[in-house]
Amino acid sequence: MALIDVIKYEGKPGEIVWKFPRNDISTFGQLVVNESQEAIFFKEGKALDIFGPGTHTLKTGNVPILEKLVNLPFGGQTPFTAEVVYINKALIQLKWGTPAPIQVEDPKYTITLGLRANGSYNIKIVDSKAFAVGVVGARGAYSQDEVDNFLRPMIITRLSDFLAEVVLKSGEPITRLNQHLEEASSAGKTKIQPDFSKYGIDVLDFFVQSINFDQNDPNFQKIQKVLTEKFEIDALGGMYQQKRMLDIGEAAAKNEGGNAGQGMSAGMGLGMGMNMGNMMAGMMGQNNAGGTSNQNDATARLTKLKSMLDQGLISQEEFDAKKKDILNSI
């Protein structure tokens, strides 16, 4: 079999690593390396010389480590054995997502929620030798999908850490994370970079694009209930306590029982509800005669405004400003 005079990349599109299929190489042969590539010589499983873009003649001085290892004569066209592996150093664009819900504890309410998240990230191989040895090993080729499968578990492992950090910094419940995607993206890049660096990879960009919660999760519903009650307190002010008492009275009035005691409780509850209703009406009349319609309208507007905030249609700042305007109009 004739010696190899020209070594060049013949891999498929999307391959991050490709190994030249033969290892019987001729001195004074030509090594061709394309732009955004590096070629590494391997001998007995050890990564030796690295060549950047261009055409290189394999002669004395060009492969100093390999020459020393195999004692090449370089007196003419002589053969030597070595493997040549090409590494693609161009930008690699990948996506990530949670295969199953990640359990994250809400630091504000100490309730654990299952969340799903997804996004994208851009990487570049900056240390070809570290990547080839640490990730690829003895394989003949390594595709972009295989790189994705290798890196994604590292992201998922760090996910709960950097999302919890964002929640602590913002001081808001974890259910509000979608309002802090930019901060989550920045924290994610910082968290995963050390893991990627061990394999010669630099994280150029990292994006958290969506965070979702199971709406039927009992823990999620608990937090939503707390947020709703907080909103009512902020919106109604001193009227909140009267509203709560009225709710209790109405609930007691609706309680149907089969004995006299339960019937008496229902009657007392109904009376309490009616009395509280009259009390609230009287207070509202004293504070703002003829203003019942305005307050009902304001409550409806506040409820709609809160719904828009929960759906991410407006920011917290916009919500606070509009809420202040509505309350001032009562």
Side-chain angles (χ1 to χ4, degrees):
M1 181 180 294
L3 298 178
I4 300 298
D5 293 322
V6 178
I7 303 171
K8 62 181 181 178
Y9 179 83
E10 297 175 353
K12 299 177 182 178
E15 286 186 333
I16 307 303
V17 176
W18 181 80
K19 182 169 68 175
F20 192 76
R22 291 177 58 182
N23 62 0
D24 48 340
I25 300 170
S26 169
T27 55
F28 291 94
Q30 300 291 308
L31 172 66
V32 181
V33 184
N34 299 325
E35 290 293 332
S36 300
Q37 287 184 340
E38 281 186 342
I40 308 176
F41 274 90
F42 277 81
K43 181 68 175 178
E44 297 176 353
K46 296 180 180 180
L48 304 176
D49 292 298
I50 300 178
F51 292 83
T55 300
H56 309 273
T57 301
L58 304 179
K59 60 183 180 181
T60 304
N62 280 4
V63 283
I65 301 178
L66 187 62
E67 178 187 358
K68 180 179 180 180
L69 182 65
V70 300
N71 193 26
L72 299 179
F74 286 106
Q77 191 176 32
T78 56
F80 65 96
T81 59
E83 296 177 334
V84 178
V85 174
Y86 284 88
I87 306 292
N88 182 359
K89 300 192 71 177
L91 174 72
I92 303 173
Q93 298 177 307
L94 299 170
K95 295 183 180 296
W96 65 270
T98 52
I102 301 295
Q103 300 300 311
V104 180
E105 181 177 297
D106 189 306
K108 187 177 181 67
Y109 300 112
T110 62
I111 292 178
T112 300
L113 295 177
L115 64 82
R116 292 183 181 272
N118 63 74
S120 61
Y121 63 110
N122 301 323
I123 61 171
K124 185 177 182 181
I125 299 170
V126 293
D127 187 337
S128 297
K129 186 180 291 186
F131 182 79
V133 173
V135 180
V136 183
R139 301 180 62 173
Y142 208 72
S143 69
Q144 183 166 309
D145 288 341
E146 289 171 306
V147 173
D148 181 30
N149 292 335
F150 178 78
L151 298 177
R152 188 178 301 183
M154 300 183 197
I155 298 175
I156 303 305
T157 299
R158 299 295 182 187
L159 183 64
S160 59
D161 291 340
F162 68 75
L163 291 183
E165 283 186 5
V166 173
V167 174
L168 285 171
K169 185 177 180 180
S170 68
E172 293 186 289
I174 202 168
T175 51
R176 300 279 182 86
L177 269 174
N178 265 319
Q179 299 179 23
H180 301 278
L181 295 182
E182 185 175 346
E183 295 96 319
S185 299
S186 178
K189 179 179 179 180
T190 301
K191 276 289 184 182
I192 66 174
Q193 181 60 75
D195 294 328
F196 284 32
S197 294
K198 292 186 296 185
Y199 301 99
I201 300 170
D202 185 33
V203 182
L204 304 179
D205 304 288
F206 184 83
F207 304 103
V208 180
Q209 295 168 328
S210 177
I211 300 172
N212 302 296
F213 299 89
D214 180 4
Q215 305 291 317
N216 297 319
D217 184 345
N219 285 343
F220 179 82
Q221 294 176 351
K222 288 179 183 178
I223 291 182
Q224 290 299 95
K225 182 179 179 181
V226 170
L227 295 176
T228 300
E229 290 182 350
K230 181 180 183 301
F231 172 75
E232 290 181 348
I233 293 173
D234 293 342
L236 297 177
M239 299 295 296
Y240 177 76
Q241 187 63 34
Q242 284 79 10
K243 178 182 179 300
R244 289 290 296 151
M245 293 180 68
L246 179 61
D247 291 341
I248 293 172
E250 290 178 345
K254 293 177 181 178
N255 181 27
E256 297 180 2
N259 55 50
Q262 289 178 325
M264 183 178 297
S265 297
M268 292 177 63
L270 179 58
M272 182 187 297
M274 294 175 64
N275 289 336
M276 288 309 304
N278 293 332
M279 183 186 299
M280 290 181 67
M283 292 179 63
M284 293 171 67
Q286 292 173 8
N287 294 334
N288 185 15
T292 303
S293 178
N294 290 338
Q295 287 196 353
N296 289 340
D297 179 63
T299 300
R301 292 166 64 192
L302 287 168
T303 301
K304 183 177 181 181
L305 188 67
K306 178 60 168 56
S307 176
M308 294 174 66
L309 175 65
D310 292 340
Q311 297 178 49
L313 300 177
I314 59 174
S315 66
Q316 184 67 45
E317 292 76 11
E318 292 171 326
F319 171 80
D320 293 337
K322 192 63 178 176
K323 169 186 165 186
K324 183 177 180 180
D325 292 341
I326 295 173
L327 293 177
N328 288 337
S329 70
I330 300 176

